């Protein structure tokens, strides 16, 4: 049972434009959401997070939006850079943070 | 400061065999979690260790077991290997109660079962 879903396996964006990566979840007990970035041959690296009490969190070029009623979150990258090309995973947990559920990932390619 | 390290990098085993994967956490971290990432999938939580005990377990059979040592390093053992156990196994370390943002992943061990 996939509780966190990323329905777009891949995304291509021109350098300088906005990248929008989407994630849906089914478990209403999830309270904490994260985005990880993964390069080949490396482990996932934490990018940005948001708790359920917020609807937006911003860190430089990265912004995560949370819509709890729709059980949907998105990651915006503006402006996109070639170095952003990687696989992005969405993950979620309840308040304990003991167990994280990951989506299947979206491979982002930023074209110079 | 070395981050999370895992060994070996790659491993090939035969069905029915047993395998042990190793993880050294980032300095200052006391909690280790293990994940399985099958091809084309996201990481799936196997279990988490703290103070040498299993704190939380995901939906994995008893063939998957682990251990944490006094120096916080950890091992993942898989018995009676199946073809479906072929995956990238990721180790993540953190300090208890510091939250997921402080969870650091290692590069993983690629296990192939033939």
């Amino acid at each position: 049972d996939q509780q966190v879903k990323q329905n777009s396996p891949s995304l291509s964006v021109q350098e300088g434009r906005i990248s929008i990566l989407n994630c849906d979840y089914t478990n209403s007990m999830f309270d904490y959401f994260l985005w990880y970035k993964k390069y080949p041959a490396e482990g996932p690296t934490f990018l940005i997070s948001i708790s359920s009490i917020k609807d937006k969190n911003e860190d430089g070029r990265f912004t995560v939006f949370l819509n709890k009623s729709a059980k949907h979150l998105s990651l915006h990258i503006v402006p996109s850079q070639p170095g952003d090309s990687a696989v992005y995973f969405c993950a979620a947990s309840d308040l304990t943070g003991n167990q994280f559920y990951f989506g299947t990932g979206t491979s982002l390619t930023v074209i110079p | 400061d070395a981050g999370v390290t895992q060994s070996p990098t790659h491993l090939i085993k035969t069905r029915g065999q047993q395998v042990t994967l190793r993880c050294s956490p980032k300095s200052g971290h006391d909690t280790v979690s293990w994940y399985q990432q099958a091809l084309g999938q996201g990481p799936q939580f196997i279990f988490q260790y703290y103070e040498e005990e299993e704190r939380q377990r995901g939906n994995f059979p008893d063939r998957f077991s682990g251990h944490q040592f006094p120096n916080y390093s950890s091992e993942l053992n898989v018995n009676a290997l199946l073809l479906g156990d072929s995956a990238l196994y990721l180790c993540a370390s953190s300090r208890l109660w510091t939250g997921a943002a402080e969870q650091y992943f290692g590069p993983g061990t690629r296990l192939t079962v033939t």
Side-chain angles (χ1 to χ4, degrees), chain A residues 1-7 22-35 50-55 64-74 90-94 100-104:
Chain A
D1 178 27
Q2 192 74 25
Q3 299 191 49
V4 178
K5 300 177 184 178
Q6 294 175 258
N7 293 319
N22 294 302
C23 178
D24 298 293
Y25 62 96
T26 57
N27 191 337
S28 58
M29 297 301 292
F30 287 152
D31 273 303
Y32 192 53
F33 305 89
L34 307 93
W35 285 94
I50 188 167
S51 71
S52 60
I53 61 173
K54 293 186 173 182
D55 56 15
V64 56
F65 295 92
L66 175 63
N67 183 333
K68 283 201 71 177
S69 60
K71 294 191 177 65
H72 177 84
L73 64 156
S74 61
C90 168
S93 79
D94 60 18
F100 286 86
Y101 297 84
F102 282 78
T104 52

Side-chain angles (χ1 to χ4, degrees), chain A residues 2 32 34 36 38 41-44 46 49 89 96-104, chain B residues 35 37 40-43 45 48 55-58 88 90 97 100-101 103 105-107:
Chain A
Q2 192 74 25
Y32 192 53
L34 307 93
Y36 283 88
K38 187 179 185 303
E42 295 182 11
F46 169 75
S49 65
F89 290 99
T96 66
N98 288 335
Q99 181 170 348
F100 286 86
Y101 297 84
F102 282 78
T104 52
Chain B
Y35 291 82
Q37 186 181 3
Q41 302 297 313
F45 177 78
Q48 183 184 78
R55 290 187 68 242
Q56 187 92 8
R57 188 179 183 92
L88 179 69
L90 294 163
W97 310 122
Q103 183 169 235
F105 281 85

Side-chain angles (χ1 to χ4, degrees), chain B residues 52-73:
Chain B
E52 303 178 49
E53 291 194 358
E54 185 182 290
R55 290 187 68 242
Q56 187 92 8
R57 188 179 183 92
N59 189 24
F60 279 80
D62 292 343
R63 299 187 297 110
F64 289 77
S65 63
H67 189 76
Q68 185 179 34
F69 299 94
N71 67 353
Y72 307 118
S73 67

Side-chain angles (χ1 to χ4, degrees), chain B residues 9-66:
Chain B
T9 306
H10 296 90
L11 202 52
I12 299 175
K13 289 286 188 179
T14 304
R15 272 180 302 175
Q17 286 188 316
Q18 178 264 344
V19 69
T20 298
L21 311 181
R22 294 177 177 82
C23 171
S24 291
K26 180 178 169 61
S27 177
H29 286 185
D30 56 14
T31 303
V32 173
S33 301
W34 286 92
Y35 291 82
Q36 180 196 65
Q37 186 181 3
L39 197 62
Q41 302 297 313
Q44 286 198 50
F45 177 78
I46 303 175
F47 42 53
Q48 183 184 78
Y49 275 84
Y50 171 71
E51 289 191 338
E52 303 178 49
E53 291 194 358
E54 185 182 290
R55 290 187 68 242
Q56 187 92 8
R57 188 179 183 92
N59 189 24
F60 279 80
D62 292 343
R63 299 187 297 110
F64 289 77
S65 63

